[in-house]
Amino acid sequence: MNCASLNLLGKKMVYLVLIPDEAMLTMGVIRPKADVIQLLLILLIILTAIPTVSFVFLMVSTACRDMQLSSTLIKQMEVTQSAESKCMNKSTAFVQASHDIRASLAGIMGLIDLSYDDIGRHSDLRKNLNQMKKCAQDLLALLNSILDASKIEAGKMLLEEEEFNIAELIEDVVNLFYPVAKKKGVDLILDPHDGSVLKSSLVRGDRGKLKQIISNLLSNAVKFTSVGHIVVRAWTGKLSLDNTILPTPPRMRKKILSCLHYCRHEEGTDVLLSTESQDIRNCVEFFCEVSDTGSGITKEKRKSVFENYIQVEETNEGQGGTGLGRGIVRSLAKLMGGDIEIIDKEIREKGTCFRFNVLLAVPEPVVEQELETVDKEAEQSFSHWQVGSILRSLTRALSIRSQSPRRTSSPNSEGSQVILLMQKDERCSVTQRFMRRLGIEVFVVNQMEDLDLVSRKMQPRLKTSFSSHSLSGFSEISSKSGSLRRSGSNKCFPVGGNDSPLRLVEGTNHIVAVQMQTSRKHRTGLVLIVVDATMGPFPELHRVVNEFRDGIPRSSKVIWLDKPLSRTVDRRLFAEGSGDPINLVLSKPLHGSYLFEVIKLLPEFAGPMDRRPFMIAAESPAERASQMTSQEIKVVNDANPLSGKKVLVADDSAINRRIAEKYLKKLGASVELCKDGTDALELVRDGLLERMNSHPSAMLPYDYILMDCQMPGMDGYEATTRIREEEKGYGVHIPIIALTAHDSGPEARRIFEVGMDYHLKQPLSEDRLLEAIASLRCG
Amino acid sequence: MDVVQLQSRLSEYLKSLFNDGTLDGQFLQLQQLQDESNPDFVVEVVTLFFSDSEKLLDDLSSSLEQPNVDFRKVDAYVHQLKGSSSSIGAQRVKNACIAFRGLCEEQSIPACLRCLQLVKQEYLYAKNKLETLFKLEKQVVAAGGSIPSLDAGS
């Protein structure tokens, strides 16, 4: 601010120049605004800085954390890898060790077998050896389950493929376990269910593994059940993707492929590669169920049942086990395209029910002609093939039945009827159900005394079919029947006119076939009485049954079911000639192929090539499969003409025994030695009895006997006579070769009089032995 | 001696046994039965023969010394000896036994005793020869060779 005085024209003026300070000016005016702006600016900076900084901070920290995490992850992965590899190493080491253990065990078992040769028959040492062998076998089984589990874990379990008969397999396994179960007082029943397994019984798949699954389930069932029964049933189900054998369109195939691929990926193990080819169309799903009345498994424990190393149920006898079994079973089932689960039983039933299913390929249906030739070949022995043909003819019969409803609709007074005289238990109802399914009329009688009631039930229907037949016809028949009349109980009243002459010669073989053809028109049925021989004192039972049979006007057959070891049936009460068509004795249990064989006795079901309806008289189902565990079927080799045959050599001279043994072993046979007639007789007797109970497929304990004629004590002639007597009871004939120097004169004649089949001169020579075998085979 | 020489000595010896009738074709059959699974089969059987025969000969002697000779028993023993000797191919022993049996039918004790002597002699001769044979075989095997097989023709 400037203040100056000015003189203007005499006037004194004062003017003031106000020059505001610039700074102060701006400050003054904009000062309030500058503050705000400043403030805002700072604020802005801060505001932008904060998120940026925090953002950066976050990023950095995340990155740090990331790095930390990945480093820990890597560390963890390394740790797991090393743990896994340690585990794998441990497993491989275990497997290696187990293989070595297995080799040593095999060595031990082999040595035990060798030691048998030097032991007398009934010595204590032999019993001890038996025990040792059993222990070694148990060890082997345990070891095998461990090895299997580790193999599956390693993903190295491969499925083999072969053709086999699944119905037979199931039956064999059941027969294997039947005696063990019976000992515990548990009945092991094979339920044919709807017979669907029979229709497609020839399959392609891994037989061994399937057997393992069923065996494991059964052994567990037997282990954990102490009372009641165990039922095994199998049936086929529809494969969801493909029901028929018709060729599928390509996209279906791809679907199937992808489904299988999915399965493969799920498990990480190999699935049957062949199913990806044409056989896919023919895949059938087989369901199998093992249901027992044991202690059961609670719902909570069910989940862990299939875990490895866990044993869920308490055992009664504290039996050991690795707990691996069910885990392996599940893995195997999954490998075969299926699974296993526990099914809830009916409310009031206790026990457990395991059901599993597998996928198996069914080859193209066998052509009819092939079947016929197979039947012919199979006539030789009651072998597996024959079982197959029985099943096939039964399924044919089944299909015939199902295709002709007209026949089954009527109560079928002309059809066959079956009466089951046995205790009211599960087996009875299973058998009854199956027969009813086949369309057979079944009556069940639970007590001897009630048999009369049944005959009355049957009578009214029979009376209607009792059409008038001329008495002259009857007298004609009676003259024919003269030879067949036995103890007055074989009265056959013909039903249905022109069949009458045929009915009486029912016993003869080929007539059954003829009857099959005629029976299509006139259903002349048969009354089949299946009796449990242990239901009462046998003579009483026999009498009651005979009275019953006299009371009904139809032809009847009786099947006696006897306990395998203690025979209650007294065959002497069957006053029959050598034909024996009326009474048959079978060993319990009646199931599987034996049941079918019995059903085939009914004329509706008899197959056209059925020439041996009565060979089952002496055979029994139990333990047929025990052969299979030790030696699978030996392949007959022409270079070894006696391959698979058992020969008994009876000679008092040790030298001759040794030499004969060597000759026979060279020809492939297995040899048993004994030193006189008494021993030979005993061996044959025991062998026949044992076979009766346990090895029905090979009726003969020995395929040949080499009998020295001159022996101290009981000589060859006497021994042969007694052996032939024994054989009569079983209806067999073991070829006996006489070893003697006499080839002419009274001694020579005696050879054939006592029933020997061939005669060889001492000393033995290979050629002559072969000659003998060859001529015995053809003769 | 080297292997080949040993082997030829062995086969010569064996041939001589056949030539003088000590052994017959049955022995060859036994040799053919011998294989890797039973490498000592022949030795085993022959040893059995030795022990068996010695026992039989003792029994024969004692039964012929009885006051009442049971000829059926004697016959039975001789039959056994005949059987075993023919099984291993000891031909001369076998023939002696056959002769013996004929004498048993006549039931003459002195004749039987003489025949028994004969049988014993033949047995000892055969035993001796066989033992030598086995010794030779052992030598061949020890020298690293294998026992040459002889066919019936040679």
Side-chain angles (χ1 to χ4, degrees):
Chain A
M1 203 156 60
N2 266 348
C3 179
S5 56
L6 254 221
N7 241 343
L8 279 182
L9 307 165
K11 293 185 190 147
K12 233 196 194 161
M13 274 204 245
V14 175
Y15 67 89
L16 287 159
V17 178
L18 286 161
I19 307 170
D21 198 307
E22 285 226 13
M24 284 168 75
L25 188 67
T26 48
M27 285 298 276
V29 173
I30 311 177
R31 189 177 287 155
K33 287 197 186 156
D35 274 336
V36 173
I37 291 175
Q38 217 172 13
L39 212 63
L40 281 173
L41 209 61
I42 292 175
L43 216 61
L44 194 67
I45 292 174
I46 292 174
L47 278 173
T48 41
I50 292 177
T52 326
V53 168
S54 55
F55 182 67
V56 168
F57 186 68
L58 271 169
M59 290 299 288
V60 168
S61 65
T62 325
C64 278
R65 224 194 351 234
D66 232 357
M67 279 175 19
Q68 263 180 0
L69 279 171
S70 41
S71 71
T72 33
L73 183 68
I74 291 174
K75 271 192 220 143
Q76 284 295 355
M77 276 178 62
E78 278 171 12
V79 168
T80 25
Q81 255 179 14
S82 68
E84 256 182 38
S85 64
K86 262 192 226 163
C87 187
M88 286 301 287
N89 287 342
K90 227 192 320 189
S91 302
T92 354
F94 275 147
V95 168
Q96 192 60 42
S98 308
H99 278 298
D100 291 334
I101 297 177
R102 201 156 62 169
S104 304
L105 267 178
I108 293 178
M109 296 220 292
L111 287 168
I112 295 179
D113 277 333
L114 277 176
S115 310
Y116 274 126
D117 288 338
D118 294 328
I119 309 294
R121 267 223 137 210
H122 301 289
S123 64
D124 276 338
L125 192 50
R126 199 187 188 90
K127 285 188 212 139
N128 290 340
L129 279 178
N130 277 336
Q131 210 45 39
M132 280 164 65
K133 191 165 180 188
K134 279 198 201 116
C135 289
Q137 280 168 341
D138 286 340
L139 277 173
L140 201 59
L142 275 171
L143 203 60
N144 277 332
S145 61
I146 296 177
L147 279 175
D148 277 344
S150 58
K151 213 176 178 187
I152 292 178
E153 222 178 313
K156 291 213 189 106
M157 185 67 100
L158 291 170
L159 282 177
E160 288 169 20
E161 201 177 292
E162 59 176 313
E163 253 191 47
F164 63 96
N165 186 324
I166 188 172
E168 233 177 84
L169 174 68
I170 299 179
E171 192 181 327
D172 282 333
V173 180
V174 168
N175 285 338
L176 184 60
F177 282 95
Y178 180 81
V180 178
K182 201 79 186 135
K183 231 195 257 186
K184 278 186 93 173
V186 176
D187 198 9
L188 180 51
I189 308 168
L190 175 60
D191 181 4
H193 202 57
D194 52 0
S196 51
V197 176
L198 300 177
K199 289 204 198 100
S200 40
S201 42
L202 261 191
V203 295
R204 284 181 73 84
D206 191 331
R207 182 176 186 275
K209 305 245 169 33
L210 193 56
K211 187 174 178 194
Q212 213 176 334
I213 295 178
I214 305 178
S215 304
N216 180 280
L217 289 177
L218 267 180
S219 80
N220 276 329
V222 172
K223 238 198 260 184
F224 296 116
T225 312
S226 48
V227 72
H229 57 260
I230 304 172
V231 182
V232 180
R233 56 176 77 92
W235 65 95
T236 53
K238 306 285 188 187
L239 184 58
S240 55
L241 288 172
D242 194 338
N243 301 351
T244 59
I245 319 174
L246 297 172
T248 52
R251 48 188 171 80
M252 278 294 256
R253 206 177 292 184
K254 279 203 189 125
K255 251 202 200 166
I256 296 163
L257 275 175
S258 61
C259 172
L260 284 171
H261 269 295
Y262 175 72
C263 291
R264 187 199 276 193
H265 285 312
E266 217 183 35
E267 288 309 314
T269 52
D270 293 333
V271 179
L272 274 174
L273 286 172
S274 62
T275 51
E276 292 186 77
S277 61
Q278 295 181 337
D279 291 335
I280 289 178
R281 305 181 228 141
N282 306 340
C283 256
V284 179
E285 204 173 8
F286 281 90
F287 290 90
C288 182
E289 198 176 83
V290 175
S291 169
D292 64 43
T293 55
S295 37
I297 305 179
T298 51
K299 282 225 160 91
E300 299 83 42
K301 292 199 187 147
R302 279 187 197 181
K303 280 183 221 132
S304 53
V305 153
F306 296 108
E307 298 286 326
N308 275 340
Y309 308 110
I310 291 185
Q311 265 182 319
V312 175
E313 297 137 300
E314 288 117 40
T315 55
N316 288 342
E317 291 136 48
Q319 288 164 337
T322 48
L324 281 172
R326 292 217 189 98
I328 296 179
V329 162
R330 182 162 72 161
S331 312
L332 288 177
K334 285 211 169 124
L335 250 173
M336 291 201 255
D339 202 353
I340 181 169
E341 53 182 348
I342 304 181
I343 307 286
D344 287 322
K345 294 186 79 165
E346 309 286 313
I347 296 180
R348 250 178 268 123
E349 287 180 27
K350 68 165 193 166
T352 339
C353 179
F354 281 93
R355 188 188 294 173
F356 74 92
N357 62 317
V358 291
L359 279 176
L360 291 168
V362 176
E364 295 302 319
V366 186
V367 180
E368 276 292 316
Q369 283 143 4
E370 253 183 63
L371 276 177
E372 303 290 314
T373 50
V374 161
D375 282 344
K376 277 197 198 110
E377 285 160 10
E379 268 184 48
Q380 285 299 316
S381 58
F382 193 60
S383 62
H384 297 295
W385 266 120
Q386 182 130 10
V387 172
S389 71
I390 290 169
L391 295 174
R392 273 193 286 274
S393 57
L394 193 62
T395 56
R396 261 181 283 147
L398 274 173
S399 46
I400 290 172
R401 280 244 146 208
S402 55
Q403 283 162 19
S404 54
R406 186 171 45 95
R407 285 188 188 138
T408 54
S409 57
S410 65
N412 223 340
S413 54
E414 295 166 345
S416 302
Q417 291 162 318
V418 173
I419 300 168
L420 296 174
L421 180 60
M422 50 174 75
Q423 274 159 351
K424 187 171 178 56
D425 59 3
E426 184 68 24
R427 182 179 291 279
C428 180
S429 38
V430 158
T431 321
Q432 188 185 3
R433 252 180 290 151
F434 180 59
M435 288 191 176
R436 285 241 172 95
R437 263 217 180 108
L438 289 178
I440 309 172
E441 214 182 330
V442 183
F443 297 96
V444 175
V445 179
N446 298 122
Q447 282 174 315
M448 259 194 314
E449 298 77 26
D450 299 339
L451 204 51
D452 295 327
L453 301 168
V454 174
S455 74
R456 254 174 268 150
K457 253 195 251 177
M458 288 169 62
Q459 287 284 28
R461 300 203 199 152
L462 293 172
K463 279 209 180 116
T464 55
S465 66
F466 220 138
S467 52
S468 56
H469 54 277
S470 56
L471 281 174
S472 59
F474 180 52
S475 57
E476 185 197 326
I477 292 158
S478 64
S479 57
K480 280 188 198 164
S481 78
S483 56
L484 294 175
R485 203 177 287 269
R486 293 170 196 117
S487 66
S489 62
N490 188 12
K491 297 185 198 125
C492 291
F493 284 73
V495 178
N498 57 353
D499 284 354
S500 32
L502 294 176
R503 298 282 274 121
L504 285 171
V505 290
E506 205 176 43
T508 1
N509 302 330
H510 61 280
I511 299 296
V512 178
V514 176
Q515 191 151 20
M516 175 63 174
Q517 294 157 17
T518 54
S519 65
R520 287 217 179 95
K521 282 192 191 167
H522 301 265
R523 291 307 216 87
T524 51
L526 176 67
V527 172
L528 196 61
I529 310 170
V530 179
V531 186
D532 179 350
T534 53
M535 282 208 53
F538 183 69
E540 176 82 27
L541 206 54
H542 185 75
R543 186 183 56 81
V544 170
V545 170
N546 270 339
E547 274 173 20
F548 174 74
R549 283 179 52 229
D550 291 345
I552 49 167
R554 289 168 69 171
S555 174
S556 56
K557 274 204 188 44
V558 187
I559 311 267
W560 302 92
L561 297 178
D562 199 357
K563 274 209 292 224
L565 291 168
S566 59
R567 329 227 82 236
T568 47
V569 171
D570 193 347
R571 287 170 193 259
R572 293 176 303 202
L573 287 178
F574 304 151
E576 277 139 8
S578 50
D580 194 9
I582 300 295
N583 287 298
L584 284 173
V585 181
L586 284 186
S587 224
K588 289 192 193 177
L590 182 68
H591 61 206
S593 47
Y594 297 86
L595 179 60
F596 306 143
E597 186 72 43
V598 164
I599 293 177
K600 277 184 82 176
L601 288 174
L602 302 174
E604 293 94 321
F605 293 98
M609 296 291 285
D610 197 3
R611 288 218 192 138
R612 302 174 3 140
F614 310 118
M615 257 313 271
I616 55 172
E619 288 156 359
S620 80
E623 267 201 68
R624 181 158 64 90
S626 69
Q627 276 189 65
M628 293 165 57
T629 49
S630 45
Q631 325 143 6
E632 295 293 313
I633 302 160
K634 283 198 174 119
V635 178
V636 176
N637 189 356
D638 272 326
N640 282 1
L642 289 179
S643 177
K645 306 268 185 207
K646 278 195 83 175
V647 184
L648 174 65
V649 177
D651 196 320
D652 56 333
S653 153
I655 299 173
N656 290 342
R657 280 203 298 275
R658 188 81 184 84
I659 297 178
E661 181 189 31
K662 200 72 177 69
Y663 273 123
L664 291 166
K665 279 201 173 143
K666 193 170 173 205
L667 293 173
S670 65
V671 184
E672 260 195 62
L673 305 170
C674 68
K675 51 186 172 40
D676 65 17
T678 335
D679 282 348
L681 178 64
E682 194 189 310
L683 283 170
V684 171
R685 208 182 259 160
D686 291 341
L688 281 172
L689 202 60
E690 201 193 302
R691 272 326 197 252
M692 175 77 176
N693 302 326
S694 56
H695 298 292
S697 62
M699 249 317 287
L700 308 175
Y702 303 104
D703 297 285
Y704 302 97
I705 303 182
L706 255 60
M707 181 86 77
D708 183 20
C709 289
Q710 258 82 29
M711 289 188 282
M714 194 191 285
D715 67 8
Y717 301 110
E718 198 190 330
T720 310
T721 323
R722 302 275 285 272
I723 290 176
R724 291 292 177 231
E725 267 173 30
E726 283 290 324
E727 286 173 342
K728 270 196 204 136
Y730 299 89
V732 292
H733 179 95
I734 305 177
I736 301 186
I737 301 175
L739 297 173
T740 174
H742 306 279
D743 55 356
S744 63
E747 268 89 1
R749 265 177 275 138
R750 216 178 145 198
I751 291 172
F752 295 103
E753 275 165 25
V754 295
M756 303 210 200
D757 302 279
Y758 201 85
H759 156 243
L760 273 181
K761 270 186 93 163
Q762 291 265 28
L764 279 178
S765 87
E766 196 174 334
D767 308 321
R768 273 182 261 152
L769 199 54
L770 282 170
E771 218 181 276
I773 306 281
S775 70
L776 281 175
R777 268 215 195 131
C778 305
Chain B
M1 258 199 245
D2 72 333
V3 186
V4 181
Q5 276 182 306
L6 282 171
Q7 279 177 333
S8 66
R9 208 163 70 144
L10 177 63
S11 29
E12 287 303 316
Y13 191 72
L14 193 57
K15 263 193 231 161
S16 70
L17 290 180
F18 282 104
N19 287 339
D20 71 2
T22 316
L23 294 176
D24 65 15
Q26 188 64 19
F27 188 75
L28 277 176
Q29 297 239 358
L30 288 187
Q31 280 192 322
Q32 280 171 3
L33 273 180
Q34 184 166 293
D35 55 17
E36 299 83 38
S37 61
N38 280 62
D40 295 315
F41 177 64
V42 180
V43 175
E44 195 193 321
V45 177
V46 172
T47 320
L48 265 175
F49 170 68
F50 289 159
S51 54
D52 209 34
S53 309
E54 265 150 49
K55 184 169 178 301
L56 277 170
L57 287 170
D58 285 338
D59 288 337
L60 270 170
S61 312
S62 58
S63 58
L64 279 175
E65 280 159 23
Q66 299 288 324
N68 286 343
V69 175
D70 184 354
F71 279 100
R72 273 182 319 159
K73 230 192 189 174
V74 170
D75 187 58
Y77 287 141
V78 178
H79 175 77
Q80 255 195 303
L81 187 58
K82 177 184 139 216
S84 49
S85 55
S86 76
S87 292
I88 68 152
Q91 195 178 332
R92 286 167 73 139
V93 181
K94 177 186 83 174
N95 291 339
C97 289
I98 295 177
F100 198 146
R101 287 192 86 190
L103 287 179
C104 280
E105 287 184 21
E106 290 171 30
Q107 303 209 352
S108 134
I109 298 182
C112 285
L113 281 169
R114 260 177 289 148
C115 205
L116 178 61
Q117 276 307 110
L118 185 63
V119 171
K120 270 192 189 160
Q121 268 176 343
E122 291 294 351
Y123 165 72
L124 286 167
Y125 180 77
K127 179 171 178 188
N128 208 336
K129 290 284 178 181
L130 283 167
E131 278 175 347
T132 318
L133 183 71
F134 293 144
K135 234 184 277 182
L136 283 174
E137 281 184 354
K138 270 204 200 122
Q139 280 178 346
V140 169
V141 171
S146 61
I147 300 169
S149 56
L150 212 60
D151 62 293
S154 59

